[in-house]
Amino acid sequence: MAKTDDQNVVELLLSQHTQIKDLFGQLSKAQGDRKRELFEDLVRLLAVHETAEEIVVHPTARREIDKGDSVVEARLHEESEAKQALAELHDLGVDHPDFDAKLAQLAKDVVDHADHEERDEFPQLRAKLPEERLRRMAGALRIAESTAPTRPHAMAPESAVANILAGPPIAVFDRVRDAVRDWTRQHR
């Protein structure tokens, strides 16, 4: 995923959507350790992506394009369901007999969610916000991603305030866990 300073928030999110779809495709064909590694990559990307959207994109969309909240509320509901499904898959593990079927359903739901954002939210953001603001939002999104949890926490609320308050302490724990896991994997 390219992270250039000239990328606006919509371009950045579209790039991440492509990366997420690619990971689902690779994961559906993978086996053993490779499957486990790809799933860990997917979990991290989805958790960070959704948290950052909840902090940066959805509040702006709610203020600027969705005065009645229907578009944003629908996306938050989808994200909540995806977090719960991802947490369940994380707990099951890639070797569980139900993993592949549940992963296929999650992939469908996540792709549908991305399609809704791309159709209902992103065009309106582009139409109503100046390009410079969209570029600044990309910077804010990257900062939010750097402090976001790296795995789903199914009980965490989907709001900017909750993510700002709870996200960094949870993220520290997640990132330490990730570092230990990666170190252990490298030193087997």
Side-chain angles (χ1 to χ4, degrees), residues 40 44 150-151 171-187:
E40 289 168 358
R44 180 182 177 90
T150 62
R151 58 189 37 82
V172 168
F173 178 77
D174 286 352
R175 289 166 196 268
V176 167
R177 220 168 111 180
D178 293 346
V180 169
R181 179 200 65 220
D182 295 345
W183 184 90
T184 303
R185 186 178 294 142
Q186 290 173 356
H187 293 88

Side-chain angles (χ1 to χ4, degrees), residues 66 109 113 118:
D66 194 24
D109 293 344
H113 170 75
E118 292 170 15

